[in-house]
């Protein structure tokens, strides 16, 4: 089966009901061997495109990963980007904001980590936490130090969507390609993965009691994601809802999305000028002595 990344793309302005979006789809491969072969093909193509991206030095690529705990963000990044040259790629994980970060606007801490031209930046969670977890837990908003008149919970989410959309439009105008991936996990599959983290000693470190607490807010998170996807998926910074119950399928879809994003860029290796060509020939003669 071929993977068409457009099937997972959220159309701009489209209302989202995540209960109608699948968390699992028909497998793209018939065996573990086929899966590894296809993923390796994607990794090799990605490596080649990354070299071109780095050499052309015109665009930056920002990949944003969001999802519920256990959705497979770490695994997707580790497997899909395994063939990428570390010199041209950086991964940042955004946890609870520090005191310094809270003293700035909500976009400040991620703006400082945006990728340079020729590089790939990966955000494991991102500025979108400010309209997701902060929306689900408004007590976090009240503790952020904002002036009371700017903390109106009836308007602030729309205002933050607008700020995010404006920022992403600005980045696009300045050569940053943005891809946003929501790993869509079912509550039942999350439960299985949490149990595995408890039962398997090598995975104990991944589990936190707070993960259980957050499951109580599942419907609230889904509502927050639906509104966020609707408000911020645009032509220049689209959201993709990736079925995440099957990790292998999800990684294949994610890798195809990244390949398509890089493939859409007008990139070329720098051309050698006639003067530079003559200089290289002279150097070649010197090396031949």
């Amino acid at each position: 089966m071929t993977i068409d990344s457009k099937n997972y793309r959220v159309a701009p302005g489209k209302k989202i009901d995540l209960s109608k979006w699948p968390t699992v789809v028909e497998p793209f491969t018939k065996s573990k061997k086929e899966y590894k072969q296809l993923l390796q093909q994607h990794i090799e193509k990605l490596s080649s495109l990354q070299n071109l991206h780095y050499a052309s030095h015109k665009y930056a690529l920002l990949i944003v990963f969001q999802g519920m705990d256990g959705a497979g963000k770490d695994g997707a990044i580790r497997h899909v980007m395994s063939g990428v040259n570390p010199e041209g790629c950086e991964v940042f994980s955004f946890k609870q904001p520090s005191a310094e970060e809270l003293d700035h606007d909500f976009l400040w801490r991620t703006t400082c980590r945006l990728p340079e031209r020729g590089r790939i930046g990966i955000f494991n969670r991102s500025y979108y936490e400010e309209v997701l977890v902060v929306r689900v837990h408004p007590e976090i908003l009240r503790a952020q130090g904002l002036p009371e008149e700017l903390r109106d919970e009836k308007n602030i989410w729309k205002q933050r969507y607008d700020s995010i959309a404006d920022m992403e439009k600005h980045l696009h105008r300045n050569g940053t390609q943005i891809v946003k991936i929501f790993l869509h996990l079912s509550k039942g599959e999350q439960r299985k993965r949490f149990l595995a983290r408890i039962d398997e000693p090598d995975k104990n470190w991944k589990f936190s009691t707070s993960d259980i607490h957050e499951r109580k807010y599942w419907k609230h998170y889904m509502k927050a994601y639906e509104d966020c996807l609707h408000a911020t998926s645009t032509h220049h910074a689209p959201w993709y809802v990736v079925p995440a119950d099957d990790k292998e399928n999800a990684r294949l879809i994610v890798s195809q999305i990244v390949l398509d994003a890089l493939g859409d860029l007008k990139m070329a290796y720098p051309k050698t000028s006639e003067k530079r060509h003559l200089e290289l020939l002279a150097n070649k003669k010197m090396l031949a002595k």
Side-chain angles (χ1 to χ4, degrees):
M1 295 176 65
T2 57
I3 303 173
D4 187 347
S5 62
K6 294 184 181 67
N7 291 338
Y8 309 97
R9 190 169 182 164
V10 178
K14 180 177 181 179
K15 287 281 188 179
I16 297 295
D17 181 351
L18 286 174
S19 68
K20 296 180 180 178
W21 285 66
T23 59
V24 63
V25 291
E26 192 72 21
F28 295 107
T29 56
K30 296 179 180 179
S31 65
K32 189 82 169 180
K33 182 179 179 181
E34 282 189 15
Y35 156 71
K36 290 181 177 179
Q37 289 175 340
L38 182 54
L39 183 61
Q40 186 58 37
Q41 290 174 17
H42 285 190
I43 290 170
E44 290 172 2
K45 290 179 183 177
L46 181 56
S47 178
S48 178
L49 281 171
Q50 188 216 3
N51 287 335
L52 176 59
H53 178 242
Y54 188 82
S56 67
H57 200 72
K58 289 186 177 181
Y59 301 95
L61 176 63
L62 174 62
I63 307 171
V64 173
F65 282 92
Q66 291 288 159
M68 298 294 286
D69 292 323
K73 297 181 291 296
D74 292 340
I77 294 169
R78 185 171 64 253
H79 285 80
V80 171
M81 309 304 290
S82 60
V84 168
N85 187 334
E87 291 185 355
C89 180
E90 289 183 281
V91 180
F92 297 100
S93 296
F94 295 98
K95 307 295 184 182
Q96 185 174 343
S98 66
E100 180 187 19
E101 290 166 345
L102 288 173
D103 278 340
H104 292 80
D105 68 274
F106 79 94
L107 291 171
W108 180 80
R109 67 170 180 160
T110 50
T111 301
C112 296
R113 303 300 186 189
L114 290 170
E116 306 161 18
R117 298 187 197 283
R119 300 176 70 87
I120 298 172
I122 300 174
F123 286 179
N124 185 344
R125 301 190 186 278
S126 66
Y127 43 87
Y128 279 101
E129 292 293 285
E130 292 294 329
V131 292
L132 296 169
V133 65
V134 178
R135 178 172 174 175
V136 173
H137 296 288
E139 65 274 13
I140 299 176
L141 178 66
R142 293 191 285 270
Q144 287 186 345
L146 285 170
E148 187 174 352
E149 66 270 19
L150 300 178
R151 215 170 56 224
D152 180 1
E153 293 178 27
K154 292 182 179 179
N155 300 313
I156 194 168
W157 310 121
K158 170 65 166 57
Q159 293 168 354
R160 288 193 170 187
Y161 294 148
D162 290 344
S163 294
I164 289 170
D166 289 343
M167 183 269 293
E168 291 179 342
K169 185 181 293 185
H170 167 76
L171 291 177
H172 176 73
R173 287 170 176 167
N174 286 272
T176 297
Q177 179 86 335
I178 305 171
V179 172
K180 302 173 296 192
I181 296 171
F182 169 55
L183 293 174
H184 188 23
L185 185 73
S186 68
K187 192 175 183 181
E189 179 62 23
Q190 186 195 58
R191 176 180 175 274
K192 292 178 183 177
R193 294 182 186 181
F194 282 173
L195 288 172
R197 291 179 180 183
I198 294 171
D199 294 338
E200 300 176 32
D202 290 347
K203 294 183 178 181
N204 286 171
W205 64 274
K206 291 185 175 183
F207 185 77
S208 170
T209 304
S210 64
D211 295 339
I212 299 294
H213 176 72
E214 289 303 294
R215 278 174 61 82
K216 300 176 183 177
Y217 299 93
W218 188 274
K219 290 183 179 180
H220 300 280
Y221 273 110
M222 292 302 104
K223 173 60 176 172
Y225 269 110
E226 288 171 352
D227 290 348
C228 171
L229 296 171
H230 166 64
T232 61
S233 190
T234 61
H235 289 293
H236 54 268
W239 273 107
Y240 293 85
V241 178
V242 175
D245 281 8
D246 182 329
K247 292 181 180 180
E248 294 180 354
N249 250 18
R251 291 164 188 167
L252 291 174
I253 296 169
V254 168
S255 59
Q256 187 65 60
I257 291 169
V258 177
L259 282 173
D260 290 344
L262 281 173
D264 286 343
L265 301 178
K266 297 178 181 179
M267 301 184 294
Y269 284 102
K271 291 184 178 180
T272 302
S273 66
E274 182 63 24
K275 181 180 178 181
R276 176 62 173 160
H277 180 65
L278 293 173
E279 183 181 299
L280 290 171
L281 289 177
N283 288 330
K284 184 177 180 180
K285 288 179 180 180
M286 292 177 65
L287 288 169
K289 293 180 180 178

